[in-house]
Structure formats: structure tokens, C-alpha cells
């Protein structure tokens, strides 16, 4: 039952200027989709208010439903003001919205989005003028103010997103503060200057006790809102009346995606659990469901994979303390996704772009130290979408420069480790030039030379062997770069000499990595394949690993070193067989690589591993973790490699 002692109170205009139907505070968020802005602002404020009395993550519930318009508290008085505003703003920008709000208030039902948080402090303090700094006062009647602990937002304008996302320009708040356990309801509407019953009123209306002229007095206990459940535990419910995205996003999937894009790290760290409830269905977004929900969105999944980095780059930077960079190098991405940045709330803020990094990657920069969180907060505009160095003329430019330098150098180091140095390609878009190859090299080349002007395929890698010479002049294509890597799935194809019709060598012998003698002092050629494995040895299949290779270095007068980056999809132990790749990435299954030595990189150093022919023996792979293996071959030898 509605209490008629309460309703929307509008301050008389007096000598103040006119306020149009366009709220300047709302314009900070109008550039974003309403759902995006609502998610960012409400979740940030929620994460800033965790309860100290309850362990476990903060929980947020987004519930979309309909309610009878007549059940909205104070709707009768609000309709009168809406009609007056709609009539008196006809010549102003924003009139159409006020007109639609007046019509919506007379409809039988209205769509409502309720945003509830749990395991939080609730809106503590009092709404009276004597407690201007209290959370409930700042949220419901404050503008442009905020406390040092961020409760209420950095600019005190986050409350503007509610009316912005409401076709009724109205929002309700129901809260139980953790220190009282008595519910309270407040309401806020932002219309325009208008005249009603010969009295001129300001644009803002507040739901309060109407006969209390000296101060605000919100309704306690809070009434039930429509058919929504009654709050019984500490926390806050925000009711956006006439949610403007209800038809566009009936299952709240856009809300869920905005949560993933902006608060993925908080969800992964089990600081936040989000639920969506709509008629007939619901969803949950938490640390367990996050991997699956990101997989259906490739860019989000790339940043999720970055957060799995168990050895992030770290550095202590002046003014902000320790920062960490989580990196995911992934050549299967359609494009570089760059680096998203965040501070203590673990909300996405800025994006750092480093076009000098040629590899495709997604990275996450986190600065969650108390001093860093406080400082970087000062560099953010109201939308919290960038770090603006100009907001601190003394140190801002240096801090941002130091952050970007740290990111750039860390990315370069990781790219060199996992993918290899980028090589400028002369004449070919997908092959290393076949130069600097030892004149003593012989045998059938794994990759023949190609026409200099012909583009290669995406599958082709960066390593070649053989002594062929280019018959046409090399064309210089400035800034054309290619990653030194190969990621080719195992495939069972005929040997190249069979595909081309070339007769097999007499005696049925297979091609070797040399003409008359082993290539490499320690090379001990042996028959490879399943029959050659020691009895009982297991085989790691190529389809169960991701694989890259690149030329790491050439040791003077001795060996070429090729680096392999191997990542298993599941934990395994066994032998892994390499194979040379022919034109277009086709496997040369009968070609024996002249491997003289194999060295694995471990956390505590390097050590040799056994190798027999093309087989790396007794590898231990942990699911999702990359290991690096260096293989040594005669100086000048280059191969494109795959695994089988």
C-alpha cells in the first residue's frame, strides 16, 4: 500500500536559471550504450563498498521484469510534473524524451531493471543536510562531490546513469545498511524547469516526506516495489523505471557481455559474481562460467587467456608502486588487441596501443597498490575511460610515459621469448630469405625458393633450408614484417617426392639430412616412427599441442639454434615427433632432420633432453603452460617445422 505522506518534492526555482531537459551530468554517459554505462558505474561503486562482516565475493543480480505503473511510489504527483515538463519544453532539445516519459507514466505497465548487490555495506549514513558526506546523501542528493575512499564515485555524478537509462527519467533506491538492518527507500527524477499551479520548479525531484519542509526524510521501512521480492539483507537495490534497453536486450546478454569486458579480472579473482534474471530464464557469471562465456567471444577470450599468465612482468614505478602486465601472445587472433589497463576495482579503464609490436597479442596492465589506485583515479575523467596525464601537470606525463614504456618493453621481451624476433621480409611476405645458408648444405630442401613477388599463405612459416638462389632481383617492401613462427596441425600427407611424381630413391631408402655423411658431429640417424620407440613409451600427438618455431640464433662456426614453443592442451608425458614442412605447409614425413642436440628451458635453468632422429624424448607437458626447447643443427640449416 502506497503512503501518500511521501512523494516527489521539487525545489522552487526562485532566482536560479532554467534547466533544460538535457542533463549535463548524463551527457558523460550518453556516448556509451545505456547498458554499458549502467554496468560500469553501478559495479564500480558496488566493488568499492564490500562488507567487512561477510567473507566471499560481492554478488550482483540484474533482474528485468514488468510492473504496473500505478504501483510506482509517488506516481500520481510525478505524472503532474511530467505533463507540465512535456508541455513547456516543446521548443527545446530533449523535448521528445520528456514527451515520451509523460506518455509512459500513463501506460498500464512499465519495464523495470532492478540491480541488486549483496555482501556490501548498503547505503549507510543519513539523508539529512547535517550528513552531506554520508553515502546515502551523496548518492541520492549530491552532485560533484566524493570522499577519498571512492564511496559514491570519483566525481559524485555516477547517479546520473540511472535516470539516463530510464525512459521515465526516474530511479528508485532501496537499501538496508549493514549497521542498522532497517530498510530505506529514496527516489530521484531529473526532468526540466517547469511551472505547475502557477509555481515554477527546478528540474530535479526527490522522493521524500512531503510535510517535512526543513529537510529530507526518506521512507522507512521501504515499501515493496511491484512484484519484486522484498530486500531482507544488507545491500542496495536500484530500480531503473522504464529501462530503455528492455526491448533491445530482453535476456540481458548485453549486460553480461559488458560485465565480461569491463570486470573480467574481478570475476576471475572471485571478487564478483553476477546473475541475470529475466522471465523464463537466468544466467550466472562467475569464475567457473567465465571461461566458457568468453570462448564464444574471441576478443574477450584473448584477454581472459592473458589473465592466465602465471609469470606476469612486474615493475615498481614512481608515484604508483608495483604494476603487473599479463600477456597473451596468440598468432591466431584476427588482429592485435593491445593492452587494457585497470586499477584496484579491477575495472577496465584505458587502452595502451603499441603498433611497434608486430605480433598479435592481448595484454592486461594492473595497478592495484593503494598509492597507485589513489593516484591513477585522479587522472580519470568522469567516464573512467582513460588516464589523462594533463590532470596532473606535475607528474602525470612521466607516470603515463613510464607505464607505456614498461608495457612496450615487456611485450618486446615476451614476443622474443615466445615467438622470436620479427624479421623484415625482402621480396617474400611469408618466407625468410634463403641467404646465409651454408654452402655445404645439401639434400632436398624442406621449403624451395619461390618467386619474390608471390605472396605466401598464412600457414607458411619463417624457416627455410636448401641452397637454391633467387633468379629474380629481390624487391624491397618497406615495413612488411612477418612473425618467425609456425603453427601447423599434424596432417597425414604423401611425401613431397611422391606428390610431384619424382621417383623414390633406389633401394627404398628415405631422404636424409645430408648427402653422404651425418650432418652434425653428434648426429646419430635412426629409423623414426612408432617401431623405433622404446617399448612402453607414450606418444604426444601433434593435435594435442600448439606449436611455434623460429630461428633463435646461430652459434659461430658450429650450429644453428631453432627454438620451439610447445603448449599442451592437457598434461602429458611422452615423446613428441617433429617433421619438416614442405610447400604450403605440407608435411615431409620421410625427411630426417639433422638434429645434434636438444635443450629444454626450465625455471631453474636449461638441461639437455634425449633426441632420436626427429623425436624429442620423454617430454613432460603441463596443460596450458608453454615450454621452450632449443634444437641444434649444422650451421646455416633452416627448416620450417611442425609436429605429428
Amino acid at each position: 500500500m502506497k503512503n501518500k505522506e511521501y512523494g516527489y518534492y521539487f525545489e522552487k526555482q526562485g532566482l536560479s536559471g532554467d534547466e533544460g531537459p538535457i542533463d549535463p551530468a548524463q551527457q558523460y554517459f550518453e556516448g556509451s550504450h545505456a547498458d554499458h554505462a549502467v554496468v560500469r558505474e553501478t559495479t564500480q561503486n558496488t566493488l568499492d563498498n564490500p562488507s567487512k562482516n561477510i567473507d566471499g565475493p560481492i554478488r550482483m543480480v540484474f533482474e528485468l521484469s514488468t510492473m504496473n505503473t500505478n504501483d510506482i511510489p509517488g506516481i500520481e504527483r510525478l505524472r503532474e510534473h511530467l505533463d507540465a515538463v512535456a508541455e513547456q519544453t516543446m521548443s527545446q532539445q530533449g523535448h521528445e524524451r520528456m514527451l515520451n516519459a509523460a506518455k509512459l507514466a500513463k501506460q498500464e505497465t512499465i519495464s523495470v531493471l532492478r540491480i541488486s548487490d549483496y555482501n556490501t555495506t548498503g547505503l549507510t549514513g543519513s539523508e539529512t543536510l547535517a550528513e552531506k558526506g554520508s553515502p546515502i546523501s551523496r548518492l541520492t542528493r549530491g552532485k560533484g562531490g566524493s570522499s577519498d575512499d571512492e564511496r559514491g564515485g570519483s566525481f559524485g555524478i555516477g547517479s546520473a546513469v540511472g535516470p539516463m537509462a530510464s525512459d521515465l527519467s526516474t530511479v528508485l533506491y532501496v537499501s538496508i545498511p549493514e549497521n542498522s538492518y532497517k530498510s530505506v527507500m529514496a527516489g530521484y527524477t531529473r526532468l526540466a524547469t517547469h511551472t505547475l499551479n502557477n509555481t515554477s520548479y527546478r528540474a530535479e525531484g526527490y522522493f521524500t516526506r512531503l510535510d517535512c519542509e526543513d529537510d529530507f526524510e526518506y521512507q522507512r521501512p521501504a515499501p515493496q516495489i511491484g512484484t519484486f521480492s522484498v530486500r531482507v539483507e544488507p545491500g542496495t537495490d536500484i530500480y531503473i523505471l522504464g529501462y530503455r534497453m528492455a526491448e533491445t536486450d530482453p535476456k540481458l546478454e548485453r549486460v553480461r557481455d559488458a560485465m565480461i569486458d569491463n570486470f573480467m579480472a574481478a570475476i576471475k579473482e572471485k571478487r564478483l559474481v553476477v546473475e541475470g534474471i529475466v522471465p523464463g530464464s537466468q544466467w550466472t557469471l562467475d569464475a567457473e562460467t567465465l571461461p566458457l562465456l568468453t570462448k564464444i567471444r574471441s576478443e574477450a577470450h584473448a584477454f581472459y587467456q592473458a589473465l592466465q599468465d602465471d609469470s606476469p612482468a612486474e615493475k615498481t614505478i614512481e608515484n604508483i608502486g608495483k604494476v603487473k602486465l599479463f600477456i597473451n601472445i596468440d598468432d591466431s587472433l584476427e588482429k592485435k588487441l593491445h593492452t587494457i589497463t585497470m586499477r584496484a576495482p579491477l575495472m577496465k579503464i584505458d587502452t595502451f596501443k603499441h603498433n611497434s609490436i608486430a605480433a598479435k597479442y592481448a595484454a592486461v596492465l594492473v595497478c592495484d597498490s593503494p598509492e597507485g589506485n589513489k593516484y591513477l583515479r585522479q587522472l580519470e575523467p568522469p567516464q573512467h575511460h582513460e588516464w589523462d596525464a594533463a590532470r596532473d601537470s606535475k607528474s602525470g606525463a612521466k607516470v603515463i610515459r613510464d607505464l607505456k614504456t614498461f608495457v612496450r618493453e615487456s611485450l618486446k621481451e615476451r614476443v622474443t621469448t615466445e615467438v622470436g624476433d620479427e624479421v623484415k621480409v625482402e621480396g617474400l611476405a611469408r618466407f625468410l630469405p634463403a641467404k646465409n645458408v651454408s654452402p655445404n648444405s645439401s639434400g632436398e630442401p624442406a621449403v624451395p625458393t619461390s618467386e619474390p613477388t608471390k605472396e605466401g599463405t598464412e600457414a607458411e612459416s619463417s624457416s627455410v633450408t636448401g641452397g637454391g638462389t633467387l633468379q629474380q632481383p629481390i624487391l624491397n617492401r618497406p615495413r612488411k614484417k612477418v612473425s618467425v613462427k609456425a603453427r601447423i596441425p599434424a596432417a597425414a600427407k604423401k611425401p613431397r617426392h611422391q606428390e610431384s611424381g619424382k621417383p623414390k630413391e633406389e633401394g627404398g631408402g628415405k631422404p636424409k639430412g645430408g648427402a653422404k655423411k651425418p650432418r652434425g658431429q653428434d648426429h646419430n640417424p635412426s629409423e623414426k616412427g612408432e617401431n623405433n620407440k622404446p617399448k612402453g613409451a607414450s606418444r604426444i600427438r601433434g593435435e594435442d599441442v600448439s606449436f611455434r618455431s623460429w630461428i633463435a640464433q646461430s652459434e659461430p662456426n658450429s650450429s644453428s639454434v631453432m627454438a620451439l614453443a610447445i603448449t599442451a592442451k592437457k598434461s602429458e608425458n611422452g615423446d613428441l615427433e617433429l617433421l619438416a614442412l614442405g610447400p604450403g605447409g605440407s608435411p615431409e614425413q620421410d625427411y630426417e632432420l639433422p638434429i645434434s642436440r636438444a635443450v629444454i628451458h626450465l625455471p631453474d635453468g636449461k638441461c639437455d633432453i634425449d633426441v632420436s632422429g626427429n623425436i624429442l624424448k620423454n617430454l613432460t607437458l603441463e596443460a596450458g603452460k608453454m615450454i621452450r626447447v632449443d634444437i641444434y643443427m649444422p650451421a646455416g640449416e633452416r627448416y620450417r617445422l611442425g609436429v605429428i
Side-chain angles (χ1 to χ4, degrees):
M1 182 180 294
K2 288 186 287 187
N3 190 332
K4 294 187 178 181
E5 295 179 356
Y6 294 85
Y8 282 91
Y9 169 82
F10 289 82
E11 189 77 24
K12 294 179 181 179
Q13 183 181 15
L15 299 178
S16 65
D18 284 348
E19 298 165 290
I22 297 178
D23 180 7
Q26 293 184 22
Q27 298 312 298
Y28 284 114
F29 309 106
E30 280 286 3
S32 303
H33 293 295
D35 46 18
H36 183 88
V38 166
V39 163
R40 283 176 60 86
E41 292 302 313
T42 59
T43 307
Q44 180 195 14
N45 289 337
T46 295
L47 290 173
D48 286 332
N49 290 271
S51 172
K52 296 180 175 61
N53 302 324
I54 303 175
D55 293 330
I58 286 175
R59 186 166 65 95
M60 294 187 70
V61 180
F62 290 75
E63 183 176 0
L64 182 62
S65 187
T66 58
M67 63 178 287
N68 292 327
T69 309
N70 287 334
D71 290 338
I72 298 174
I75 188 62
E76 296 89 350
R77 186 179 180 90
L78 182 60
R79 283 171 177 155
E80 295 176 359
H81 287 274
L82 282 167
D83 286 341
V85 170
E87 180 181 350
Q88 295 165 36
T89 58
M90 291 185 63
S91 61
Q92 301 180 40
Q93 290 188 14
H95 163 70
E96 190 70 22
R97 186 177 179 196
M98 294 295 101
L99 182 62
N100 291 337
K103 293 179 179 179
L104 180 61
K106 297 182 180 69
Q107 292 183 2
E108 183 177 349
T109 61
I110 188 172
S111 296
V112 179
L113 176 66
R114 180 171 75 168
I115 306 170
S116 305
D117 62 53
Y118 301 89
N119 288 356
T120 60
T121 62
L123 294 176
T124 58
S126 170
E127 66 272 23
T128 64
L129 289 173
E131 288 195 54
K132 293 181 180 179
S134 73
I136 191 171
S137 179
R138 286 201 310 273
L139 177 64
T140 60
R141 64 186 300 185
K143 294 290 182 295
S146 181
S147 64
D148 287 339
D149 64 2
E150 283 193 83
R151 299 188 177 190
S154 299
F155 294 86
I157 63 172
S159 57
V161 299
M164 180 274 297
S166 165
D167 282 336
L168 201 62
S169 296
T170 304
V171 63
L172 299 174
Y173 304 95
V174 173
S175 184
I176 298 180
E178 64 178 356
N179 57 0
S180 76
Y181 292 93
K182 186 175 184 179
S183 65
V184 57
M185 188 186 78
Y188 172 77
T189 186
R190 206 291 182 182
L191 307 179
T193 300
H194 59 285
T195 299
L196 181 64
N197 298 328
N198 298 320
T199 301
S200 183
Y201 293 101
R202 298 191 63 179
E204 296 176 315
Y206 302 88
F207 189 87
T208 184
R209 190 180 182 93
L210 296 175
D211 60 0
C212 187
E213 298 182 357
D214 296 334
D215 208 341
F216 285 176
E217 183 181 317
Y218 297 156
Q219 187 170 349
R220 292 179 175 84
Q224 182 174 3
I225 308 299
T227 59
F228 288 94
S229 59
V230 175
R231 174 167 283 274
V232 295
E233 59 184 284
T236 301
D237 299 325
I238 302 174
Y239 293 83
I240 299 177
L241 305 178
Y243 180 53
R244 61 193 287 188
M245 303 291 288
E247 293 185 4
T248 305
D249 188 24
K251 294 185 178 181
L252 298 180
E253 291 174 340
R254 289 169 59 97
V255 167
R256 185 184 65 200
D257 290 347
M259 272 289 182
I260 292 173
D261 292 341
N262 290 281
F263 295 95
M264 179 189 301
I267 296 167
K268 174 188 172 293
E269 295 299 318
K270 300 183 179 180
R271 290 178 53 183
L272 177 64
V273 172
V274 187
E275 298 175 24
I277 301 175
V278 298
S281 66
Q282 64 183 73
W283 48 259
T284 299
L285 176 59
D286 57 17
E288 293 184 1
T289 61
L290 182 62
L292 181 61
L293 291 171
T294 59
K295 273 192 175 180
I296 60 178
R297 302 174 65 238
S298 59
E299 292 191 9
H301 188 63
F303 286 109
Y304 176 78
Q305 289 298 104
L307 290 171
Q308 308 308 306
D309 183 1
D310 56 4
S311 299
E314 296 184 6
K315 187 174 183 179
T316 299
I317 295 178
E318 187 178 359
N319 289 322
I320 59 175
K322 181 181 288 188
V323 295
K324 296 180 180 180
L325 183 67
F326 300 83
I327 303 172
N328 172 29
I329 306 293
D330 187 351
D331 56 359
S332 69
L333 295 174
E334 292 186 3
K335 60 181 180 180
K336 283 182 288 188
L337 301 179
H338 302 289
T339 302
I340 60 174
T341 70
M342 56 187 65
R343 52 184 177 85
L346 298 184
M347 178 177 79
K348 175 186 174 183
I349 302 294
D350 207 343
T351 299
F352 288 172
K353 296 183 178 181
H354 288 97
N355 293 321
S356 62
I357 307 298
K360 298 174 184 177
Y361 70 93
V364 181
L365 176 67
V366 178
C367 177
D368 55 2
S369 64
E371 66 271 29
N373 184 58
K374 185 175 182 178
Y375 180 83
L376 291 171
R377 175 192 175 202
Q378 299 174 19
L379 302 185
E380 295 172 16
Q383 303 97 313
H384 306 288
H385 70 300
E386 66 176 338
W387 288 330
D388 183 0
R391 288 179 174 269
D392 177 14
S393 59
K394 182 179 179 181
S395 304
K398 182 179 184 303
V399 168
I400 299 302
R401 184 171 60 251
D402 289 348
L403 282 171
K404 290 184 175 181
T405 299
F406 163 66
V407 171
R408 183 179 61 252
E409 296 306 315
S410 299
L411 287 170
K412 284 184 176 180
E413 182 179 354
R414 185 68 65 88
V415 167
T416 301
T417 301
E418 291 197 14
V419 179
D421 294 328
E422 295 297 313
V423 178
K424 183 177 290 187
V425 178
E426 298 179 342
L428 296 175
R430 287 294 171 186
F431 294 99
L432 279 177
K435 60 184 180 180
N436 297 328
V437 179
S438 169
N440 296 325
S441 301
S442 58
E444 191 75 8
V447 180
T449 58
S450 299
E451 297 178 10
T453 58
K454 186 178 180 180
E455 291 281 317
T457 68
E458 194 66 31
E460 289 168 342
S461 179
S462 57
S463 306
V464 298
T465 188
T469 57
L470 296 174
Q471 300 300 318
Q472 302 181 36
I474 292 175
L475 303 178
N476 185 23
R477 295 181 179 175
R479 303 183 64 83
K480 186 73 174 179
K481 295 188 176 183
V482 60
S483 299
V484 184
K485 57 193 174 185
R487 200 170 190 176
I488 309 297
K493 293 186 178 181
K494 294 179 180 179
R496 186 167 54 83
H497 62 77
Q498 291 185 19
E499 292 176 349
S500 62
K502 180 178 177 180
K504 204 171 184 179
E505 294 178 356
E506 287 189 21
K510 59 184 177 180
K512 298 286 184 181
K516 296 182 180 180
K517 59 182 179 180
R519 298 158 93 177
Q521 296 177 355
D522 299 326
H523 180 55
N524 181 23
S526 60
E527 292 295 320
K528 58 186 182 64
E530 296 293 334
N531 295 333
N532 188 54
K533 289 194 310 175
K535 203 168 185 180
S538 61
R539 172 61 58 90
I540 300 173
R541 298 179 301 171
E543 64 191 45
D544 292 332
V545 300
S546 60
F547 176 90
R548 299 184 184 95
S549 68
W550 66 93
I551 298 296
Q553 65 188 65
S554 293
E555 297 196 344
N557 303 320
S558 58
S559 300
S560 288
V561 180
M562 177 169 282
L564 317 177
I566 306 167
T567 305
K569 299 176 183 178
K570 59 182 179 178
S571 297
E572 292 193 72
N573 179 271
D575 299 342
L576 184 67
E577 184 174 357
L578 308 176
L579 75 166
L581 301 176
S586 59
E588 294 278 3
Q589 294 195 7
D590 289 338
Y591 191 88
E592 188 171 295
L593 296 164
I595 302 173
S596 61
R597 181 188 179 199
V599 175
I600 189 169
H601 291 241
L602 299 173
D604 55 352
K606 305 177 185 178
C607 69
D608 283 58
I609 59 174
D610 292 335
V611 59
S612 176
N614 290 1
I615 299 175
L616 303 178
K617 311 291 287 184
N618 197 29
L619 290 178
T620 298
L621 305 179
E622 186 175 345
K625 291 191 176 182
M626 188 272 292
I627 66 166
R628 173 172 167 172
V629 176
D630 292 340
I631 61 172
Y632 291 72
M633 291 181 286
E637 295 292 345
R638 291 183 173 187
Y639 293 86
R640 292 175 54 240
L641 299 180
V643 291
I644 190 170

